Amino acid sequence: MRKTLSVLLTAAMATSMLAACGSSNTQATQAPAETKAAETQAAATTAAPAETKAAETVAAVTEAAKEAEANGETITVGFAQVGHESDWRTASTNSVQSALSKENGIDLQFVDCDNDSAAQLEAVRNFIQQGVDYIVIDPIVSTGWDTVLTEADDAGIPVIVIDRTIDDSDKYVSWVGSEFTNEGLAAGAWLKAYVADKGISEVNALVISGTTGSSAQIGRSNGFDKYVEAENWNKIDEQTGDFTQEGGQKVMESYLKSYDGKFNVVVCQNDNEAFGAIDAMKAAGVSYGVDGDVIVISFDACTAGLQKVLAGEINADFQCNPLQGPDCLNIIKKLEAGETVDQKTFMAEPWYVAEDKLKEITYTNNSGNEVTEPLVVVDQAVVDAAY
Ligand code: AHR
């Protein structure tokens, strides 16, 4: 633990947050081209008025970091991870653990919160009590954070949020993750173009959503629902599969009891749910995928998901990029050096499809910009390069 440094970093953090809040928008380093350009432009940060104070703080922070490095001290980081519910989550954990490593001067304390929000709050409180230098949180749900983040703030511990977002507090230094609403919008835009191309006149959709109240679920549902409304599609039902294969299978088994023969689209909010839903449809003799009666849409695009796209079992898979470890390390390094960090960093996320007929989709993204983005047809090389 390097308390002096933590306190100084928090002072630097407050200054950098003030500067960031002063700018009109977010900073996007890896968003799809147009969004990125627009957001980056809008984010051109103005110099903070408290420049002298900031310079003094930065100098002190840098000095303390140098001193700590000279003394061979490691930086302690507590990471409160959501759980282990999906292939995506495994990739996220691996990414953070390999970036925030001993070799990179970091002593990482990892807690798997097993999708339990109370356990996650407790993990963060334990990190505060231990006096770690930084806390990294992947929030299970987006609300209920302000009190504990205030406690971290009071203790002078900078918090970095990854993947999912926090809606009810701004007491964290930086966030890196996905624009989930764009993922849902892209899925809707793709389905609209796909059914038009295939001459399918009616959309009767079942949704298997992710963990209720997570920003990944909220964004994907909201984005897709815009198309449901605009296109007058029939969304028959939406139930949570909690982002697990077991959950996806159970929900689909129950859907098959209620709606067999009445649906032609299933939207699974992650690959593992899609695997479960596919197993249930297979067992019930329902045909799906490229040559079947039911169009399967998924999110994540992990290796096993893309294998199913290649096999034609999933029609379209919208990537959610879990490789946030290096960004996280970069944020910590910048804070250690007393530099300003971006308030928001969006991961780059391509859209994958099984058939090569549609080349791109155009839609209005969550920032209100009309964007045209390519559809990547999955081949073996794409699968081999996946996470
Ligand atoms: O928050 C990211 C989501 O959580 C991923 O889509 C899902 O696989 C994971 O469990």
Side-chain angles (χ1 to χ4, degrees):
M1 163 181 107
R2 294 172 302 119
K3 210 64 218 144
T4 323
L5 183 54
S6 285
V7 171
L8 289 165
L9 281 167
T10 307
M13 164 187 130
T15 311
S16 90
M17 288 284 281
L18 273 178
C21 290
S23 72
S24 61
N25 210 326
T26 61
Q27 193 116 18
T29 59
Q30 294 177 24
E34 274 187 47
T35 323
K36 185 177 166 182
E39 288 176 354
T40 306
Q41 205 177 15
T45 317
T46 50
E51 249 174 21
T52 326
K53 174 114 182 56
E56 281 165 11
T57 309
V58 164
V61 165
T62 313
E63 264 323 296
K66 274 185 195 155
E67 204 180 303
E69 204 179 342
N71 293 339
E73 288 176 35
T74 51
I75 302 162
T76 54
V77 180
F79 175 30
Q81 172 63 295
V82 168
H84 51 273
E85 71 284 2
S86 61
D87 288 30
W88 190 99
R89 191 61 55 198
T90 304
S92 159
T93 296
N94 290 342
S95 175
V96 173
Q97 285 180 333
S98 50
L100 304 189
S101 63
K102 284 252 176 317
E103 296 71 43
N104 288 328
I106 296 195
D107 174 16
L108 183 67
Q109 297 178 33
F110 174 81
V111 177
D112 175 334
C113 300
D114 201 16
N115 218 24
D116 178 339
S117 294
Q120 191 166 43
L121 289 175
E122 197 187 321
V124 173
R125 286 209 165 90
N126 284 340
F127 291 146
I128 296 169
Q129 265 173 14
Q130 287 166 42
V132 297
D133 296 312
Y134 296 89
I135 295 173
V136 177
I137 303 171
D138 188 329
I140 297 169
V141 292
S142 58
T143 53
W145 285 101
D146 198 53
T147 306
V148 76
L149 291 192
T150 303
E151 288 162 24
D153 200 18
D154 291 347
I157 302 173
V159 171
I160 297 160
V161 178
I162 64 166
D163 173 31
R164 301 179 186 175
T165 51
I166 281 173
D167 290 345
D168 63 350
S169 180
D170 59 0
K171 296 187 184 73
Y172 54 90
V173 192
S174 187
W175 166 86
V176 49
S178 303
E179 182 31 295
F180 298 113
T181 306
N182 284 351
E183 294 173 0
L185 286 166
W190 173 81
L191 183 61
K192 179 182 170 184
Y194 188 78
V195 294
D197 180 62
K198 297 278 178 191
I200 298 169
S201 55
E202 257 188 58
V203 168
N204 295 302
L206 289 171
V207 176
I208 304 178
S209 53
T211 300
T212 307
S214 66
S215 63
Q217 176 271 314
I218 295 167
R220 287 170 193 164
S221 292
N222 287 348
F224 187 74
D225 282 353
K226 288 217 165 120
Y227 277 84
V228 170
E229 221 172 282
E231 298 306 311
N232 215 9
W233 291 338
N234 176 25
K235 187 170 85 173
I236 305 169
D237 207 342
E238 172 161 348
Q239 287 176 28
T240 182
D242 239 348
F243 283 132
T244 66
Q245 179 158 347
E246 196 193 354
Q249 181 162 349
K250 276 194 182 144
V251 172
M252 181 47 86
E253 282 166 357
S254 131
Y255 280 165
L256 286 165
K257 281 187 195 136
S258 309
Y259 314 115
D260 196 11
K262 295 185 181 141
F263 66 99
N264 62 348
V265 175
V266 59
V267 180
C268 305
Q269 286 190 349
N270 81 346
D271 282 340
N272 291 80
E273 289 182 340
F275 306 154
I278 283 171
D279 286 348
M281 287 192 282
K282 226 184 254 172
V286 172
S287 72
Y288 58 88
V290 169
D291 299 318
D293 295 329
V294 177
I295 298 164
V296 181
I297 294 175
S298 185
F299 297 85
D300 279 3
C302 65
T303 302
L306 290 180
Q307 268 161 353
K308 290 219 179 288
V309 179
L310 184 58
E313 292 188 72
I314 292 176
N315 298 72
D317 204 344
F318 297 83
Q319 197 197 56
C320 179
N321 188 336
L323 307 179
Q324 290 142 5
D327 287 291
C328 216
L329 178 65
N330 196 28
I331 289 165
I332 291 173
K333 281 190 168 167
K334 278 187 164 180
L335 291 171
E336 288 286 296
E339 292 172 22
T340 304
V341 294
D342 293 338
Q343 200 184 11
K344 291 189 179 186
T345 303
F346 289 96
M347 304 297 289
E349 305 191 317
W351 317 135
Y352 295 106
V353 290
E355 294 161 273
D356 66 359
K357 194 91 187 291
L358 303 171
K359 307 290 178 214
E360 59 190 24
I361 46 170
T362 298
Y363 63 100
T364 302
N365 69 15
N366 201 29
S367 307
N369 302 317
E370 186 175 286
V371 291
T372 297
E373 292 165 352
L375 296 168
V376 180
V377 180
V378 174
D379 58 18
Q380 192 56 50
V382 170
V383 175
D384 292 344
Y387 64 86

